[in-house]
Amino acid sequence: MARKLRIGIVGLGGVGAVHLEAYRDHPRIEVVAGAELDATRLRDLAAKHRFNPYADFRRMLAEETLDLVCVATTVATHEEVTIACVQAGKPVLCEKPIAGTVEAAKRMIAAAAAAGVPLFYGATYRFLPAVRRARELIQSGAIGKVLLMREQEVGGTGPEGRHLMGFAHYPKGTPGGSGFGLVDHGIHLIDLFGWFAASPVESVFGRGNLSGETAATEYLLMNFQSGALGHLLYEDATFSTNLPGEGLFSWGSAWTLQGYVPPGQWQAAPGSIHVHGDQGALRIFHYANQLFLTDKDGTRQIALEGRHAPGHFAAQMEACAATILDGAPAAVTGEDGLAALEVLMAAYRSFKEKKVACIR
Ligand SMILES: NC(=O)c1ccc[n+]([C@@H]2O[C@H](COP(=O)([O-])OP(=O)(O)OC[C@H]3O[C@@H](n4cnc5c(N)ncnc54)[C@H](O)[C@@H]3O)[C@@H](O)[C@H]2O)c1
């Protein structure tokens, strides 16, 4: 068997712990070290997952032999941590969004290129089994030409329930806000819609919140070069209009408006993505791990393969291992992270200028 990918993780907060779970007993991935500022959390996770703990990630870089560093720190620190890692000669997988500004993302990409090491981007949704299968179906022509892609997350428990990410992720006054807003969540879908449509975004209109400022419903309309439309709509400070009895059994774990839920739960309003083509349509329950195809022959459920959430983090890291250890092309790069960020930032421009914003 090929050797394991030796990785270190910087940032062992909410998602860092999920990465650790996903890599547990993995035949190809070994977490040898982790760095975290919270001493108690570091100690507990290191004891549970048996890796070498570091309070200072720079010491980890100096002392450990690593094939890759996974950057799962607060968004505002992605640039500093990623650049330090690539300059130490380590390939990096950086969590989404790649950075808080387009300029920072460009500096990260330039630093990795100058150091001659890959910079992978954490477009984790691309590794969910329902999403992967949906893309295969789209590519095989199962729904014809893609016309419209949409996702909405609307619900919550009123204004107090808004899940604010805080200034450590998004400094006061910069784009960001809720964990179910355009920046922190919508960035996944911006990437995915381009991947589904196999086409770049040409122009957008949208509205996003600024961290620490009065929040409003967020939305984004994306006009793709292919003619397809992408639509995102987010509001987590109201209440759901779902009726009792609506819902689905979720096979995978999920980030929901109620927080992170473990696998195998009933969900009243499971997250889903809609893709409409001129020959059919797909309903993708990305975390619940279910996929439905509707066309002129009716609606049927599509069988899925691969590990559901949080296993998609392992699938993502397997793709990094294939590049680093086997020389396969990178599945998702820093440029993909930059492209999604440019679309996102154009939404803020469009709202300010009260007109459709062109990309680049
Ligand atoms: N791919 C996904 O599905 C997904 C899901 C959730 C979060 N995320 C992303 O993961 C990243 C982390 O999010 P989170 O929810 O885990 O945040 P979090 O605030 O729970 O955790 C971040 C951790 O990073 C640590 N940290 C900050 N600077 C550090 C440094 N210099 N050295 C070591 N540790 C440091 C903090 O102490 C904290 O524990 C963000 O970019 C977020 O957008 C991705």
Side-chain angles (χ1 to χ4, degrees), residues 10-16 35-38 41 55 57 71-75 77-78 81 95-97 122 124-125 165 169-170 184 188 255 287 312-313:
V10 188
L12 296 167
V15 89
E36 167 57 46
L37 301 178
D38 181 324
R41 203 169 162 80
F57 79 93
V71 176
T73 56
T74 42
V75 178
T77 63
H78 284 185
V81 178
E95 265 293 356
K96 61 80 197 167
T124 30
Y125 273 34
M165 292 299 293
H169 283 278
Y170 302 109
D184 208 70
H188 278 302
W255 272 276
Y287 283 139
H312 63 304
F313 286 93

Side-chain angles (χ1 to χ4, degrees), residues 49 148 170 198 259 282 287 303 352 355:
H49 294 278
L148 168 65
Y170 302 109
L282 292 165
Y287 283 139
K352 201 167 161 197
K355 61 179 190 205

Side-chain angles (χ1 to χ4, degrees), residues 6 13 38 53 95 100 195 226 240 245 258 274 304 310 314-315 321 337 341 359:
R6 295 169 57 84
D38 181 324
E95 265 293 356
W195 198 52
S226 64
S240 172
Q258 283 73 46
H274 305 248
L304 299 176
L341 196 63
I359 307 303

